[in-house]
Amino acid sequence: PTKEEAPAKEEAPAKEEAPAKEEAPAKEEAPAKEEAPAKEEAPATKHRAPPGGDEIPPDGAIAPPELLAPVDPPDLAAAKRALSTPGLDESALWSALADVEPQAVAAAVRWAIAEANEATRLAGLRVAGGLGKAAPLDAVGQATRDPSPEIASAALRVLGGRGARDAKVVLPVITEQLGAPSVLVRCAALESLARVAKAKVTAQAAAALASRATPRQLACVVPVALLAKQTGPLDRAIEALDDVDNHGVLTPAIARAGKALGPALRRGLGAAPGARVAGILAALALAPDGGALGAALLPSTDGEAREALARWLVGRANQREVAKALAKAAAKGSPQLRATVITALAELDARALARDARTWLNDPSPLVRAAAARVLARAADRREATLLLHAYQAERSIASDENLPVRVALIEAMGRTGSADLAAVFVDGLAQPGEESAAVDALVTLGAASVGTLGLVVKLGDSHKTPYALDALARIGAGVGDTAEKLLQHPRESVRKIGLDLMGASEDPDAVGALVRLLAAEGLEDPVPVIQALATFSSPEAIGALLGARDHPSVAVRVAAVTGLGEAQVDSPAVFEALTNSVETDGDVAVKVAAIQAMFRLGAPGLSVVLAKLVQFEGPEVRVAALDALGWLRDPLSLAAIAQRYGDTAGKEREVLDAAVARIAGRADLNSARGMRDVATSSQGALGPEGDRLELAVGDIKLTARGYGSGHTALVLGGGHSGRLWAQSLAAAGGARFVAIDGRGRGASPVGQKVVTLEQDVMDLEAARAALKAEKVRLVAHGVGAYVAVEYARRYPERVNGLLLVSPPPRATRDGGANGAARRLDNRAALDLAALDARFAWYSPSGYLGLRFAALAGGYVGDPRLALALRMHPPAHGPQQALNRGCEGRDLASQLRGLAVPVMVVFGEKGPFALDARVPLKRLASTQKSVRLSELAGLGHYPMVESPSAMAGVLSKFAGLR
């Protein structure tokens, strides 16, 4: 039977002969049971559908190669696209992968890690770190050997994130990279090892790396070693600070040393060289509790290290621990250090130091004695007047250059006591070289109590004391009118003139009556000084006297009268009508030109219409003045009137006409009358640079303002200037409704019955906001006006949502920075205003201030040719000086500290304020994120005049701040 079965076996091929089973595509296509394990291999078996059809061609079918290319499943394709998209951060990556199945993400990560593109590999590793158990560890381990240090480091961090649970798998891979050529990779391996291995293993690895560490490697070893309770690497890092080049690498790591930092710094500060001390201070600045650490270190240091550490702590004296340490340091150390510490502590709490300060007044060092006097000046007490006087007399008995700062500080301290009995002492100080300014300030502090004594000094005519006495009298103001009137009765003409000028400079309303009576008196030889003095007032009596002087037979008097009407800044139709009448009827050209300039200063409604008529005037001097004023008004509708003169001008008049057209049209190619008329016609009904004229009721007066644009409200204000200075910039800016305000006594706004002060400006600003019905406002301010804006923001923080401060004085002074600007005037010896102290202004206030501003214009703008624009918009000197006095001594950085609203501070590169004066603002901007400091290249103090387009860009950016 076995043999008989053989044929049956041979018959088996008959079954195999059925080729249909092998050739039938359907049977091979649908192996349903075989598909289940092949799901992961699906991308290799799926093919593209032919064009115009939905069926997938069978395997073995004849088809173009592009139709047979593998296609990824949708999830895998989406994950690959996300990982290969450049520029996505980790958050964006995970957002793109949110709806993708984890298995598809893991497959895409494996694909990404093997890609040639470095950014794709890095993206894959970033995602692998968040996959948990699904992460392909074999692919990540392979990436630790990547030639790119960034890729290898990222892979090591992924393995380190696995923790101890996968230590057996990842530990060999991590350990292998501890000897990698790249410092970056070695550091990443050590950090990962600390998260995976036991402390002992990590400590051994850290010690091995520290023994041959470069500064960069040492920086990553320190935190790992500290986790293993090893302080050796930290000590080595502190020693490595002896090389300044290592500071940037090591100080961040040292700053993060936590509790180990204090003891390590104490060990390293012993006999440390200067470079190491500087590095330690840099590390303390980065440490979360650096001030407290430094305060704890101060008692255990000495020599240069102690001096440097104490000076560093002075900048953090507002911290309680630091203040305590500095209080102890004030008792010993070098005189320079003690004086610095005492002064810093006095700014915090002078009264707490007052008791010690009385003792320090007897210190051998004049530096310490001066600091002690400044403490007592801040903690002024009338009961200490006698003590201070005795100390001052002792210093005067040994008067020298060395102890001059002590004498000056003692005078300041005595003045703060308010004791009227000391007036004679201060008057005596007017004769002591170096003490004069401090004595003047002390007399001003006493106020009316010192007026009689100062008047006696002026009457006696002491050549050295008189200018200082006049300065004090003018600054005191109230009650000076009576004293000045008595001076008018003095037999000496020079004293009478001093009394006359003092009346105008004092801003004392009682002086107006005396000036009016003097102007009306018979036999007055020269009325011009009286008119100049009257021009500093804006009362009805003063304006009436100026209007009456327009009919005086003397040309000089009439010129002074119309000029005075412009300087008085009274927005009155009667004044404007009188000036227009002077232009039309006065027979002297000088009076006509002066009247045009006065009208421009007042900025009355319809001014461009009046000036357009004057362009046709027969006198060339009048036409030139009118053309120049029209140019600065920038009213496009006036081009039609200017066009009528185009063909008949030549010489200087043609130059002024061309300049006016360029300013109005913003282009230099308008060289025909027809072109000018076309521009004027296209401007009909358009909002010109002058904006919408507004009147805002603020108590006893109405402030003149001009509005530009639309949106949320931004109030624009200046220190002493009219808001018209901003016209071109505001017209070009966007994003807000900019309202440029002429402050009280500036531009077209009257002074009213109230004195211009910082407080009054703040109150006016709040009333203007209410008049505009704005719930919140942004504030834009120029120059000393910045202090008004900041004071408003501090007082009404809920009503302000941003500050833009343009060219603010970093520290407000009485002269408003004029001396600093004067020093910028090259080769102008004849106008060397740096030598002109403010006290000399009172001999001829109007003339001096006009000269000062005209000369300084070239120093305030980067391009001296633009000085003319500022002379057409001069500051109102009374309000300007009043604000300077009200803000004197204020530091902008201190005022801004703690403000929650966004603040932009903008300086012109060539502005008058020195770079070192801006250092406190730069420090504030580095620590207070709400403050931004920027500089406009090539511009000076008035960027809105020098480059309206650049300033418009700043305004638009400010309008968009959130």
Side-chain angles (χ1 to χ4, degrees), residues 189-426:
L190 182 60
E191 292 170 3
S192 299
L193 187 68
R195 302 174 67 182
V196 172
K198 294 181 179 179
K200 184 177 180 180
V201 176
T202 303
Q204 291 173 348
L209 287 179
S211 64
R212 51 188 174 86
T214 62
R216 188 177 177 186
Q217 183 167 302
L218 190 58
C220 69
V221 169
V222 167
V224 176
L226 290 174
L227 289 175
K229 298 182 179 180
Q230 288 186 348
T231 58
L234 177 60
D235 289 337
R236 292 191 59 185
I238 292 173
E239 291 172 4
L241 293 175
D242 292 355
D243 186 346
V244 177
D245 292 339
N246 296 339
H247 287 190
V249 176
L250 291 173
T251 51
I254 294 171
R256 295 193 296 268
K259 294 181 180 180
L261 181 57
L265 292 181
R266 191 172 285 108
R267 293 191 296 270
L269 269 173
R276 187 189 303 180
V277 173
I280 288 174
L281 295 180
L284 283 174
L286 296 173
D289 54 349
L293 278 174
L297 289 172
L298 189 61
S300 60
T301 57
D302 52 22
E304 292 183 4
R306 177 183 174 83
E307 299 273 334
L309 181 57
R311 289 193 180 89
W312 183 83
L313 288 171
V314 162
R316 292 153 179 80
N318 57 337
Q319 299 178 24
R320 187 175 179 182
E321 297 87 347
V322 174
K324 287 182 179 179
L326 289 176
K328 295 179 181 178
K332 61 178 182 178
S334 70
Q336 293 86 349
L337 174 64
R338 292 182 61 204
T340 302
V341 169
I342 291 169
T343 302
L345 291 175
E347 292 179 358
L348 294 175
D349 189 357
R351 293 197 176 279
L353 288 179
R355 183 175 180 180
D356 291 329
R358 299 185 193 103
T359 303
W360 293 331
L361 284 176
N362 299 314
D363 196 272
S365 169
L367 291 174
V368 176
R369 297 201 301 274
R374 285 192 286 271
V375 170
L376 295 173
R378 287 179 174 272
D381 190 333
R382 186 181 292 270
R383 293 171 296 181
E384 293 179 341
T386 303
L387 170 69
L388 294 169
L389 177 59
H390 289 163
Y392 173 71
Q393 290 171 337
E395 297 291 343
R396 278 283 296 274
S397 66
I398 55 170
S400 65
D401 291 341
E402 189 178 28
N403 79 338
L404 176 60
V406 187
R407 287 181 277 139
V408 169
L410 285 168
I411 290 174
E412 181 184 357
M414 287 189 290
R416 296 285 180 86
T417 65
S419 176
D421 298 336
L422 296 174
V425 177
F426 302 143

Side-chain angles (χ1 to χ4, degrees), residues 586-600:
D586 198 289
D588 192 271
V589 171
V591 178
K592 296 176 185 292
V593 171
I596 290 173
Q597 293 172 344
M599 286 193 294
F600 181 88

Side-chain angles (χ1 to χ4, degrees), residues 620-862:
E621 297 90 344
V622 175
R623 293 200 302 268
V624 166
L627 282 170
D628 195 29
L630 276 176
W632 293 114
L633 282 177
R634 296 187 175 93
D635 182 357
L637 301 181
S638 65
L639 283 174
I642 295 176
Q644 297 180 37
R645 295 293 313 167
Y646 184 76
D648 301 326
T649 56
K652 180 180 179 181
E653 185 177 351
R654 182 56 173 269
E655 292 178 7
V656 174
L657 185 148
D658 288 341
V661 171
R663 283 195 291 269
I664 295 170
R667 46 193 281 197
D669 60 341
L670 280 182
N671 52 12
S672 70
R674 181 177 179 179
M676 295 176 202
R677 283 193 293 269
D678 289 344
V679 172
T681 301
S682 65
S683 301
Q684 291 288 343
L687 179 65
E690 279 301 299
D692 300 326
R693 186 180 173 94
L694 309 170
E695 288 189 345
L696 309 176
V698 293
D700 62 324
I701 63 169
K702 289 184 178 179
L703 295 182
T704 298
R706 291 166 180 81
Y708 305 81
S710 61
H712 51 266
T713 304
L715 301 183
V716 183
L717 54 149
H721 289 278
S722 161
R724 284 190 298 161
L725 204 65
W726 291 84
Q728 199 167 1
S729 295
L730 298 180
R737 172 63 169 168
F738 291 101
V739 179
I741 298 176
D742 287 357
R744 186 179 292 261
R746 282 145 283 183
S749 297
V751 174
Q753 301 301 313
K754 297 180 180 179
V755 180
V756 175
T757 61
L758 174 64
E759 175 73 19
Q760 186 60 54
D761 266 9
V762 171
M763 292 173 62
D764 287 349
L765 196 56
E766 168 59 8
R769 179 203 63 80
L772 290 167
K773 298 180 181 179
E775 182 179 350
K776 284 192 172 187
V777 294
R778 292 173 183 263
L779 297 178
V780 181
H782 178 264
V784 73
Y787 287 90
V788 179
V790 173
E791 182 64 23
Y792 181 88
R794 292 173 67 88
R795 195 170 302 183
Y796 304 105
E798 74 284 357
R799 295 172 188 166
V800 178
N801 52 16
L803 295 176
L804 171 58
L805 310 179
V806 181
S807 303
R811 187 172 181 83
T813 58
R814 191 181 357 156
D815 73 345
N819 286 341
R823 284 189 285 272
R824 298 177 65 86
L825 300 175
D826 298 330
N827 303 319
R828 297 197 181 190
L831 298 175
D832 185 12
L833 299 180
L836 279 178
D837 192 276
R839 62 184 179 275
F840 295 120
W842 313 128
Y843 285 110
S844 181
S846 300
Y848 166 78
L849 290 165
L851 170 66
R852 183 182 77 173
F853 187 77
L856 291 184
Y860 267 81
V861 294

Side-chain angles (χ1 to χ4, degrees), residues 519 526-528 531 546 549-550 552-562:
L519 186 61
D526 185 7
V528 172
I531 293 174
L546 293 174
R550 290 172 43 254
H552 198 280
S554 168
V555 172
V557 172
R558 298 202 304 275
V559 169
V562 296

Side-chain angles (χ1 to χ4, degrees), residues 804-808 904-908 933-936 943 951 954:
L804 171 58
L805 310 179
V806 181
S807 303
M904 289 178 63
V905 185
V906 178
F907 287 101
L933 188 63
S934 61
E935 191 175 80
L936 298 177
M951 196 66 240
V954 173

